[in-house]
């Protein structure tokens, strides 16, 4: 049983920062692709950022490049999303996701590469 638990969401003013955390348990975290997705109100879930198991390769959606940073601590089984210069259009439910422990160094942006999902955490950015 894989469990992913997100934390760190909340309400912030435009231009502010938040740091999301995702704690993984129940299986091998170290060898797994990890990613963040988000679902804005009334829209489909979309890719935000991905990090390969070793952290060597990282990918970002164009909309967050230069503002968001994904990182992971394999010793703590945790992945992070540092979000700076937040905008109202960043408002969404943010989901942590994990792929199978394949030890691949490909930072896959495709939602189909992810097999396990957290419950989501709300991020609201006011203008």
């Amino acid at each position: 049983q894989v469990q992913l638990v997100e934390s760190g969401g909340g309400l912030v003013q435009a231009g502010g920062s938040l740091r999301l955390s995702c704690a993984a348990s129940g299986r091998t975290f170290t060898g797994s692709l990890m990613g963040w997705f988000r679902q804005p109100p009334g829209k489909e879930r979309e890719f935000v950022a991905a990090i390969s198991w070793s952290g060597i390769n990282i990918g970002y959606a164009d909309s967050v490049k230069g503002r968001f940073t994904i990182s992971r601590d394999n010793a703590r089984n945790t992945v992070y999303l540092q979000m700076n210069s937040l905008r109202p259009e960043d408002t969404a439910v943010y989901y942590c996701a994990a792929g199978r422990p394949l030890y691949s160094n490909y930072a896959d942006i495709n939602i189909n590469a992810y097999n396990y999902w957290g419950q989501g955490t709300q991020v609201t950015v006011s203008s």
Side-chain angles (χ1 to χ4, degrees):
Q1 185 78 17
V2 176
Q3 292 182 335
L4 300 173
V5 180
E6 302 100 334
S7 60
L11 174 64
V12 63
Q13 288 189 334
S17 298
L18 284 173
R19 188 193 196 202
L20 304 183
S21 299
C22 172
S25 62
R27 60 188 282 274
T28 302
F29 170 86
T30 301
S32 298
L33 164 72
M34 297 296 297
W36 288 95
F37 290 75
R38 66 187 183 187
Q39 188 162 13
K43 297 185 179 181
E44 293 187 352
R45 194 170 299 190
E46 62 186 26
F47 169 75
V48 174
I51 186 167
S52 62
W53 79 271
S54 65
I56 287 178
N57 289 315
I58 290 174
Y60 294 102
D62 288 343
S63 59
V64 307
K65 278 181 183 176
R67 301 188 298 122
F68 290 12
T69 302
I70 188 172
S71 61
R72 66 189 295 163
D73 184 342
N74 287 341
R76 295 178 182 269
N77 284 4
T78 302
V79 64
Y80 305 97
L81 185 68
Q82 178 66 44
M83 305 186 294
N84 298 330
S85 301
L86 282 161
R87 305 167 180 168
E89 54 263 40
D90 294 317
T91 294
V93 177
Y94 283 70
Y95 295 93
C96 173
R100 293 193 177 93
L102 302 177
Y103 290 86
S104 168
N105 270 318
Y106 181 52
D108 205 326
I109 68 172
N110 191 323
I111 195 170
N112 294 321
Y114 298 83
N115 305 96
Y116 308 101
W117 295 83
Q119 81 288 349
T121 186
Q122 177 70 46
V123 171
T124 303
V125 184
S126 63
S127 56

